[in-house]
């Protein structure tokens, strides 16, 4: 099967320093990541003719969330662009990458710089992480419409509260247990121990997990991702540029962007699957590859349950079977049948808001992940972002 995606490769990746409260501006971090990605792709800023970001400048969800806008980055790098975009609505954070693939496939650009930058840790300081419904500051009590009128007044301030209810429903429907949920966090921490950029690298046992405080049932502290400062950038290039790069590249095999249910946090037709179900289904509709062909999975873990939902949506196990699939952690370990979140995910490596997963997938496919490299030499990687009514997925292959 041939789709527009297969006209594109990820020719370069780059990442800034990652840390808690680095005290650097979002633009500063973005330029570090962007210049590293451009050089990794064998290019110069003068070669970049496309630019894409998520979510774009000024999008509210608390301080430090949006990062610099595309026009700010264009000006700082003095880019001459044929195409650019930035926006919140779409197939989760990966929508920026999908947009770049579309632009390359349509011939609008040849080399697109795609970036995601967060400075939530520095911006929020010691004041704690704001809920989505309370983002933007300014004081006072906001008036809420839509679904938030049924959540915010009842102190369900953030996606942690909303997705905890999805997890509870999964527990109720399928008998999923806290011990099974815990394996996502324990596995992530084990992998993060081999990632020098990870925020949390010290070993964590099951006992340590259960000793942590409850945040919003059934999520404990270690089920929630860790806010950080950092930027990740990738270069989406025309496929023929593979010959001009001095390392292996990740070819884009397929994308999944579908939303076939209601765009709602609380009125989706199956609260245990969410939009991941639709994006994953479309991904497999656009390729001849199958779930059994995937060698490594980098699946969104803004909250631990989301990785389990993606395991089911992508067909690595049956609906309702993610609990038994991850139980004991053997199947999802780096030497297991489906290595999961090999860099530590957002739970331990830090919340780069989805882009850390695509960075890791590319490194794994290139065989450049260092001590955490999957030994089998992965040829196919699945990447997924998002939760609730937003979801996007990518299938990448080594070339």
């Amino acid at each position: 099967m041939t789709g527009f995606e297969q006209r594109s490769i990820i020719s370069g990746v780059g990442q800034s320093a990652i840390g808690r409260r680095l005290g650097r501006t979002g633009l500063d971090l973005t330029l570090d990541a962007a210049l590293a990605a451009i050089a990794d792709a064998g290019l110069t800023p003068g070669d970049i003719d496309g630019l894409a970001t998520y979510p774009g400048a000024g999008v509210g969800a608390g301080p430090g969330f949006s990062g610099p806008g595309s026009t700010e980055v264009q000006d700082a790098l003095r880019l001459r662009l044929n195409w650019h975009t930035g926006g919140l609505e779409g197939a989760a954070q990966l929508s920026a990458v999908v947009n770049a693939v579309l632009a390359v496939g349509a011939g609008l650009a040849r080399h697109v710089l795609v970036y995601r930058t967060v400075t939530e840790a520095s911006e929020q300081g010691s004041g704690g992480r704001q809920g989505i419904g309370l983002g933007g500051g300014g004081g006072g009590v906001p008036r809420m419409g839509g679904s938030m009128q049924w959540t915010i007044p009842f102190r369900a301030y953030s996606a942690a509260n909303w997705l905890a209810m999805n997890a509870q429903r999964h527990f109720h429907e399928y008998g999923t247990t806290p011990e099974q949920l815990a394996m996502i966090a324990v596995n992530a921490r084990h992998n993060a121990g081999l990632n020098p950029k990870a925020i949390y690298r010290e070993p964590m046992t099951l006992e340590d997990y259960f000793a942590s405080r409850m945040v919003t049932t059934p999520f404990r502290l270690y089920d929630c991702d860790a806010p950080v400062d950092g930027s990740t950038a990738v270069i989406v290039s025309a496929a023929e540029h593979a010959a001009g790069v001095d390392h292996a590249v990740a070819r884009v095999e397929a994308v999944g962007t579908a939303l076939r249910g209601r765009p709602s946090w609380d009125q989706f037709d199956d609260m245990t699957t969410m939009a991941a179900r639709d994006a994953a289904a479309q991904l497999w509709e656009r390729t001849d590859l199958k779930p059994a062909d995937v060698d490594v999975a980098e699946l969104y873990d803004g909250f631990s349950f989301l990785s389990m939902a993606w395991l089911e949506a992508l067909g690595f196990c049956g609906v309702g079977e993610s609990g038994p699939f991850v139980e004991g952690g053997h199947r999802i370990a780096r030497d297991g049948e489906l290595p999961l979140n090999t860099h530590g995910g957002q739970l331990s490596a830090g919340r780069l808001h989805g882009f850390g997963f695509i960075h890791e997938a590319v490194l794994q496919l290139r065989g450049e992940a260092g001590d955490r490299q999957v030994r089998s030499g992965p040829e196919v990687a699945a990447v997924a972002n998002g939760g609730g009514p937003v979801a996007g997925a990518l299938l990448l292959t080594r070339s």
Side-chain angles (χ1 to χ4, degrees):
M1 183 180 295
T2 301
F4 73 88
E5 304 97 310
Q6 294 163 26
R7 302 171 194 161
S8 298
I9 59 171
I10 297 177
S11 60
V13 294
Q15 203 167 65
S16 71
I18 308 298
R20 302 297 293 269
R21 302 175 192 172
L22 294 178
R24 296 172 62 187
T25 68
L27 181 60
D28 188 22
L29 295 170
T30 302
L31 295 180
D32 280 359
L35 290 171
I38 292 168
D40 187 50
L43 302 169
T44 69
D47 297 311
I48 301 300
D49 59 354
L51 185 62
T53 188
Y54 176 97
V59 174
F65 175 82
S66 63
S70 62
T71 54
E72 189 177 2
V73 172
Q74 177 191 6
D75 195 45
L77 291 172
R78 297 297 192 268
L79 302 179
R80 293 173 59 86
L81 300 177
N82 293 325
W83 176 88
H84 61 100
T85 189
L88 180 66
E89 294 177 343
Q93 303 91 313
L94 284 179
S95 61
V97 180
V98 175
N99 288 343
V101 172
L102 279 164
V104 170
L108 292 174
R110 181 172 171 80
H111 301 291
V112 182
L113 167 63
V114 190
Y115 67 92
R116 175 75 178 104
T117 303
V118 289
T119 54
E120 290 178 297
S122 284
E123 292 288 350
Q124 293 174 6
S126 60
R129 191 167 163 189
Q130 287 182 307
I132 291 174
L134 300 180
V141 179
R143 292 186 63 84
M144 292 296 169
S147 64
M148 284 192 181
Q149 68 184 301
W150 310 114
T151 56
I152 302 304
F154 300 96
R155 297 183 182 272
Y157 293 139
S158 82
N161 307 124
W162 312 336
L163 291 166
M165 291 189 280
N166 294 79
Q168 284 284 74
R169 188 66 193 180
H170 198 277
F171 279 35
H172 172 76
E173 291 282 352
Y174 303 114
T176 311
T177 68
E179 290 76 14
Q180 293 167 342
L181 182 70
M183 295 316 303
I184 300 296
V186 172
N187 176 71
R189 181 63 62 86
H190 182 70
N191 292 339
L194 299 176
N195 179 2
K197 284 192 171 182
I199 299 302
Y200 297 130
R201 300 184 64 196
E202 65 277 10
M204 181 174 69
T205 66
L206 197 59
E207 290 73 23
D208 295 329
Y209 168 88
F210 280 110
S212 68
R213 64 181 174 87
M214 187 67 74
V215 174
T216 178
T217 307
F219 296 157
R220 297 178 179 273
L221 179 64
Y222 297 129
D223 292 305
C224 306
D225 60 12
V228 297
D229 299 343
S231 181
T232 304
V234 303
I235 307 298
V236 176
S237 294
E240 55 267 27
H241 181 61
V245 182
D246 63 359
H247 51 67
V249 299
R251 290 190 178 271
V252 182
E253 171 68 21
V255 303
T257 61
L259 177 59
R260 296 164 178 166
R262 294 187 66 187
S264 171
W265 286 92
D266 64 343
Q267 297 296 316
F268 203 77
D269 55 279
D270 184 348
M271 301 301 290
T272 68
T273 62
M274 303 168 286
R277 175 198 67 192
D278 300 341
Q282 187 189 44
L283 181 82
W284 297 120
E285 292 163 6
R286 299 188 61 79
T287 178
D288 292 327
L289 295 177
K290 305 297 181 187
D293 295 315
V294 174
D295 300 308
V296 62
E298 309 295 346
L299 309 181
Y300 195 70
D301 63 351
F303 304 98
S304 53
F305 172 67
L306 293 177
S307 289
M308 297 176 71
W310 277 111
L311 286 169
E312 295 181 15
L314 286 163
F316 298 127
C317 60
V319 174
E321 296 177 0
S322 58
F325 186 86
V326 304
E327 191 166 358
H330 308 297
R331 284 177 164 175
I332 59 174
R334 281 193 321 281
D335 59 354
E337 66 182 74
L338 185 69
L340 176 68
N341 296 349
T342 49
H343 62 311
Q346 300 190 147
L347 300 179
S348 285
R351 171 187 157 90
L352 294 171
H353 208 218
F355 269 51
F357 296 100
I358 192 168
H359 182 271
E360 177 69 8
V362 172
L363 292 184
Q364 287 287 342
L365 291 175
R366 285 165 44 169
E368 297 177 359
D371 291 340
R372 65 186 185 276
Q373 179 66 48
V374 173
R375 290 192 295 273
S376 61
E379 298 287 335
V380 182
V383 183
N385 277 188
V390 290
L394 287 174
L395 196 64
L396 305 175
T397 62
R398 176 185 169 90
S399 177

